[in-house]
Amino acid sequence: MIKIVQKEDPVLRKKSEEIPLSHIGSATIKKTLRDMRTALESRDDGIAIAAPQIGVPLRIFLVSPRAFEIEEHRRRTKTKTTEDPEAETAALLPKVFINPEILKASKDKQWLEEGCLSVHHIYGKAHRSKKVSVRALDEHGKAFTMTGNTLLSQIFQHEIDHLNGILFSDHAKDLHDIDTLPDEQE
C-alpha cells in the first residue's frame, strides 16, 4: 500500500521540480505514476492526487476517471443531451498531468466545498475560478491543453497548489472536521 502523506510532512510545503522531457517515460516516472494510481485507487474519497502527496516532489498530478464521470454527469443533466459514446469513453480514461501550468483562469469565482487526501477529514470552502485552462504533458511527453469547468477547474487549481507547496487549508474558510461514517448497507 502506498502511503498518502499528511499535512505535517515537509514535502507538501516544497515547490515541486519540473520533469525534463527526456525523463518522461523513465522507470522512475513510470513507478511514480503507478504509485500515484495505487494510492488514489485505494481511497474512495479522492478524485485526484499530486506526486508530493505520496512523498515525491515532482510536478505531476493525476485525475481519477471518477472526476470526469461526475463532470460529464453534471454537463448532461444541465444540457439534457447525449453525446457520441466513443467520445465519452475517451473522456473517462485516467488523465496524467506532467509539468502543468494554468494558461487562463476565469475572473468569475465561487466558494466551493473542498477536502484533501493529505488534510484528511478536514473540509472547508475554497475560493476558486469557475473555469481554468491548463497545459501539461501526458505520460508519453505529448503536450495537451484541457479546460475544466467547476469540478475539473477546482481540481486543476487544487493540484497545482500542491505542486507549489500550498494546501487548500491555507486559504479555505469555514474549516471543519468530518466524522468518518461506517459503511451503510443498502
Side-chain angles (χ1 to χ4, degrees), residues 154-173:
Q154 182 180 15
I155 290 168
F156 295 164
Q157 293 167 86
H158 179 105
E159 300 308 326
I160 289 174
D161 276 356
H162 270 302
L163 303 181
N164 292 323
I166 300 166
L167 298 176
F168 92 97
S169 55
D170 296 342
H171 55 82
K173 68 178 187 177

Side-chain angles (χ1 to χ4, degrees), residues 84-130:
D84 174 15
E86 198 170 301
E88 289 175 25
T89 303
L92 298 179
L93 297 173
K95 194 70 177 166
V96 173
F97 294 76
I98 297 174
N99 298 337
E101 60 179 311
I102 293 176
L103 297 176
K104 189 173 182 179
S106 68
K107 292 180 183 175
D108 192 13
K109 295 185 175 193
Q110 60 189 348
W111 288 97
L112 298 167
E113 187 77 7
E114 198 162 302
C116 179
L117 296 173
S118 292
V119 187
H120 208 224
H121 299 296
I122 304 291
Y123 287 80
K125 292 186 179 183
H127 203 222
R128 301 290 192 187
S129 293
K130 287 184 176 182

Side-chain angles (χ1 to χ4, degrees), residues 66-78:
R66 290 189 304 262
F68 293 100
E69 290 169 3
I70 293 166
E71 191 78 1
E72 178 63 19
H73 175 73
R74 286 180 180 172
R75 188 190 65 74
R76 288 170 137 215
T77 301
K78 190 175 184 179

Side-chain angles (χ1 to χ4, degrees), residues 143-159:
F144 68 92
T145 301
M146 182 177 282
T147 299
N149 295 299
T150 313
L151 179 61
L152 287 176
S153 173
Q154 182 180 15
I155 290 168
F156 295 164
Q157 293 167 86
H158 179 105
E159 300 308 326

